[in-house]
Structure formats: C-alpha cells, structure tokens
Amino acid sequence: MKSLIPLILFAVCALCASPGHAQEAQSAKAVVEQATSAATAFLDTLNEAETLKVLYAFTDEKQRHNWSNLPIRMAPRGGLRWGDLNQQQKDAVATMLKATLSPQGYQQIVDNMDSDEVLKNGGGGRDGSPMFGRDEYYVSFLGEPSLTKPWMLQFGGHHLAFNVTFYGERMTISPSLTGGQPIDFTLDGRTVRQLAEEEDKSFELLASLQPAQLKAVLLGDRYADMRYGPGKEGAQPQQEGLNATALSPEQRTLLLQLISERLSLMKPAFAKPRMEQIEKDLDQTWFSWYGDTEQGGAATFRIQGPTILMEYSPQRLGGDPTNHIHAMYRDPTNDYGLGFLQK
C-alpha cells in the first residue's frame, strides 16, 4: 500500500493549526521538561498532609487502575479533590495540564468539568446531585515527577480520566477516557458541543462507504456499550467490521483524520509518532459501526489495530443517548506506559 505518512502529517498539522488547536511546535524533550517542572511547581504548593495524599508509589497497582466513567460517590478516586484546592493550587494544576496536553486536550478537560457542573444543576437529563460538578475531580501522581525515572499524572472524575505516563522523553495517555454528559450544553454564556469534530468525521467516513463496505462495517442497528473502559486492561484488538485494506486511498485518509482527532489530545511531539505507527499498521486496522447511520444519530464506532483501541459510545442513562458519550483510547502495547519499561 502506498505510504500515507504525508497525509498523516497534513492531518495532524491541520488539526494543530485549526481554531482551538493552535500551538507552537515543541520537541518531546521540551514538553517533558515543561510538564515535569509544572508538576513539581504544583507539589511545591502543598503542605505535608496534602503531599502524602497526592503521591503514590509508581508500583501502586490499585491507584493506577483507580479511574472510572462513574461519578465519584459510586467510584471513589484517590488523590486531591479539585474542590479542596485553593486558587493558587488550582492555577498550578491548570498550568501542569496545559504543559502536558495539547490545547484541545486541556479544553476537553475544561468542557468535561463544565458539563458535569451543568449536570449538578439539573441539566443533561438528570435531576441534579451534589455528586456531580467541577469540584468532584481529582489529581494524583504515581511516582515523583522526574526527567529520568517513570512517573504518572492522573487527572479525572465523572466521564474523564487522563492517565499520563512519562519516562525520560517518552509519554503516553493510554488509557484515557473522555466524553461527558451532557455533550451539548450552554454554561456562563458559552455554548459547547463536545467531541464535535470527531463525531462529524466519523459520519463523514461512514457516508463515503460503498454499499458492500457499509454492509461489512455495520455490525448492529443499535449503538453498543463501551468495550475498552475501566478494568479492561490487557484487552486486545478484534478483527471485526471493515479492514482498512478494503478502503480507497481517500477513505483511508478519512480514517486517519478521525484517529488524529483523538490523538491530538496530545501535543504534536507525541501525536505525530503515534500516528506514524498507526499508519504503519493500517493494513491490520479495523473499523466497525453500530447504530444509526444518519448524521447525528446514536451510533458507536470502534477502530482497532495493533497499537490502537479507540471507541465512541452513546449511553442510555439521561434520556438522549447522543448527549451522553463515553470515548476511550488505549494503546494495547503500552497501557500506563508499561511498554516503556520493557524497552
């Protein structure tokens, strides 16, 4: 198959240059140095009791897996609660997250927390509850921030989990959960449609398929639940739906652009090599669909390849399933950066 690397670079660069994605090019080394420095600066704002609460051993498997799509009262997290931080500490966490993730990745966190605030106030198809809201998000570390030793930053809460592992100049966000409820909302005069570009690109790819391709990719007429979420460590890709070898060059480009939307939660220094690896394995990558085929309908898609498990899944709770989404990303060869330790 003809190399698609130029197309990938175009897709990633286009994302970075588009509104909401503008960012200066940085080397992997520079990103890690800034993230590590910002994490250390945050830790410096804490007292002894707070430090003991936020720091875990890098080998702490219980905390490593302590993330969920569920609200905090149903799945208690570890670390420090956002609502218990003072403004200096909140600002330090925000600086750390901006240094770690792309503008799109950081904005996803802001939008997710805002949507949970809407949920707390009775929006999004729920009656409201104190277990929702911006205050109910947690930050923690496995291992101390270091330029040479492995360490992990965790930030998340309801419908959000960023598990960011660093080791030297390497970084991964596998596994990460995004999405939210409600997906579409207005708060403080700001109207938001979370995951908009990703959803639109998925329907664009689906609409490009010919009848025989559509027959292969469509595995059910109802959306499916999240498969690769919390507790699914060790999951491996399944060969289901349509293999990328059955796509035209234009359709393969659309598939790569869809993947790049999720990968652009990371800064380009890390998104670019991930996209290059995914392109290399494209012949072993599968695309599947469950549910509505009309734009904006309730539908699940999955992309599964040797180094990517990516899914977008509507949920039943809260009325309109298109307004309650779980979106998972995993690299099955490097969940929690454990693949780094084997090299």
Side-chain angles (χ1 to χ4, degrees):
M1 181 176 64
K2 185 178 179 180
S3 175
L4 297 177
I5 289 178
L7 296 175
I8 293 173
L9 298 181
F10 172 79
V12 173
C13 290
L15 281 170
C16 295
S18 63
H21 299 291
Q23 53 189 297
E24 296 181 1
Q26 294 177 294
S27 68
K29 180 180 179 181
V31 173
V32 171
E33 287 177 347
Q34 289 185 17
T36 304
S37 176
T40 301
F42 165 61
L43 289 174
D44 287 343
T45 70
L46 306 180
N47 61 36
E48 184 177 356
E50 291 169 330
T51 301
L52 289 173
K53 197 169 184 179
V54 81
L55 280 178
Y56 295 81
F58 185 75
T59 54
D60 191 325
E61 292 299 311
K62 181 178 179 181
Q63 179 60 24
R64 191 187 307 280
H65 301 144
N66 189 16
W67 57 274
S68 176
N69 56 288
L70 297 173
I72 195 68
R73 292 192 183 178
M74 299 174 69
R77 311 308 199 267
L80 291 175
R81 177 176 174 268
W82 179 262
D84 294 332
L85 301 179
N86 62 37
Q87 192 57 53
Q88 179 191 14
Q89 293 166 337
K90 289 179 179 179
D91 291 344
V93 171
T95 298
M96 175 178 62
L97 293 173
K98 289 177 182 178
T100 301
L101 302 171
S102 69
Q104 182 182 357
Y106 177 73
Q107 190 62 49
Q108 178 62 57
I109 290 175
V110 172
D111 291 345
N112 183 277
M113 295 174 73
D114 282 353
S115 72
D116 221 51
E117 191 71 12
V118 171
L119 203 61
K120 174 185 175 182
N121 295 329
R126 302 294 286 268
D127 294 332
S129 168
M131 69 177 168
F132 303 126
R134 294 189 191 102
D135 286 348
E136 307 305 323
Y137 287 76
Y138 282 71
V139 58
S140 62
F141 297 91
L142 274 71
E144 294 189 27
S146 169
L147 294 176
T148 57
K149 297 179 181 179
W151 63 283
M152 187 165 82
L153 161 65
Q154 293 182 310
F155 187 86
H158 189 209
H159 291 129
L160 182 71
F162 273 101
N163 297 295
V164 187
T165 305
F166 298 87
Y167 191 9
E169 296 181 12
R170 293 173 288 181
M171 187 267 274
T172 181
I173 63 169
S174 174
S176 288
L177 166 72
T178 53
Q181 180 191 13
I183 290 295
D184 305 321
F185 64 90
T186 299
L187 182 67
D188 300 331
R190 190 172 71 98
T191 298
V192 175
R193 179 185 165 214
Q194 297 190 76
L195 306 174
E197 293 183 14
E198 182 173 313
E199 180 188 6
D200 290 347
K201 288 183 186 298
S202 71
F203 278 102
E204 182 181 1
L205 173 57
L206 190 75
S208 76
L209 301 181
Q210 298 300 311
Q213 293 173 313
L214 186 61
K215 183 178 180 181
V217 82
L218 190 59
L219 301 185
D221 58 7
R222 180 179 173 80
Y223 58 88
D225 289 339
M226 179 170 55
R227 174 185 290 170
Y228 296 120
K232 301 301 182 181
E233 278 68 52
Q236 295 298 312
Q238 298 185 22
Q239 297 181 355
E240 59 182 24
L242 188 66
N243 183 262
T245 58
L247 298 174
S248 69
E250 294 76 16
Q251 291 168 335
R252 290 197 293 270
T253 300
L254 291 175
L255 176 61
L256 290 168
Q257 289 175 343
L258 174 57
I259 295 170
S260 70
E261 272 297 324
R262 191 73 63 87
L263 269 292
S264 65
L265 297 172
M266 296 186 287
K267 291 181 183 291
F270 298 104
K272 178 182 174 182
R274 285 294 297 120
M275 288 299 300
E276 290 174 345
Q277 181 62 55
I278 290 165
E279 186 273 339
K280 181 180 178 181
D281 297 329
L282 204 62
D283 286 357
Q284 303 172 66
T285 301
W286 297 74
F287 176 59
S288 57
W289 192 276
Y290 299 77
D292 294 341
T293 57
E294 295 297 321
Q295 178 76 37
T300 295
F301 73 79
R302 294 194 182 108
I303 298 169
Q304 303 177 79
T307 66
I308 184 168
L309 301 173
M310 173 176 166
E311 62 184 332
Y312 177 104
S313 176
Q315 302 299 306
R316 300 182 184 88
L317 294 178
D320 180 4
T322 65
N323 213 23
H324 183 176
I325 301 296
H326 295 160
M328 273 303 305
Y329 163 77
R330 288 182 184 268
D331 175 354
T333 70
N334 198 28
D335 259 356
Y336 305 104
L338 299 181
F340 294 152
L341 305 182
Q342 301 171 1
K343 295 179 182 180

